[in-house]
Amino acid sequence: MYGDKFTRSVYTHNDLGYLTEEHSRNVIYADPSSGMTQPDVGYDAAIIKMQNSYDLHGRRVSQTTYNTSGVAKTLTTYSYRGDTEMVDQKAYKYVSGVAKLNQATYFSESGMRNAAGNQVAYRYVVYQDN
């Protein structure tokens, strides 16, 4: 009576065409030989998997990922300077509902760009769990 079970993902985009959210749900399809006319026999509630936020210039400023229960798992933030070059990227892990800084990459500290403005170095930091 029942056929395949799989995960269906649905993507949401903003007016500029950038991905803003991804949701997924498990879907069960009817076995075609059963004579059922409705292909979707059942499905789980949709669970959010990922969410992006953008600034007015279309640059991604944050991304949140979620576990299979829809609870926030990680948060990554992105900072930019006026000429759109990235200043830093910070990754947080959620521990008991609190976002804790886990790692960071810095791109705009002294000596990280040459005279032409090209990136020549960066600093990567991993923070210990508390």
Side-chain angles (χ1 to χ4, degrees):
M1 174 170 254
Y2 297 111
D4 298 327
K5 181 176 180 179
F6 64 94
T7 301
R8 176 185 293 161
S9 293
V10 177
Y11 303 93
T12 306
H13 297 81
N14 65 13
D15 292 342
L16 298 174
Y18 296 119
L19 180 65
T20 57
E21 289 185 353
E22 176 186 0
H23 292 82
S24 68
R25 66 173 50 181
N26 292 322
V27 179
I28 301 171
Y29 268 81
D31 184 350
S33 65
S34 70
M36 296 181 74
T37 57
Q38 184 178 7
D40 286 4
V41 174
Y43 49 85
D44 297 338
I47 300 292
I48 188 166
K49 292 177 74 176
M50 181 271 305
Q51 185 173 32
N52 287 326
S53 297
Y54 299 87
D55 65 12
L56 294 175
H57 301 286
R59 300 173 298 199
R60 183 170 52 184
V61 294
S62 70
Q63 179 179 56
T64 305
T65 61
Y66 299 85
N67 67 18
T68 56
S69 300
V71 176
K73 182 171 62 171
T74 65
L75 168 67
T76 304
T77 61
Y78 308 88
S79 300
Y80 304 88
R81 62 185 199 187
D83 63 356
T84 71
E85 292 293 328
M86 191 178 296
V87 173
D88 62 47
Q89 175 181 336
K90 295 179 180 173
Y92 300 83
K93 273 188 189 177
Y94 282 93
V95 179
S96 301
V98 177
K100 296 192 175 202
L101 185 60
N102 185 44
Q103 59 189 22
T105 307
Y106 300 96
F107 301 102
S108 289
E109 294 176 348
S110 178
M112 292 186 174
R113 295 189 182 273
N114 64 16
N118 297 317
Q119 190 81 43
V120 296
Y122 64 91
R123 184 170 61 100
Y124 179 74
V125 181
V126 176
Y127 298 93
Q128 292 183 350
D129 289 338
N130 293 335

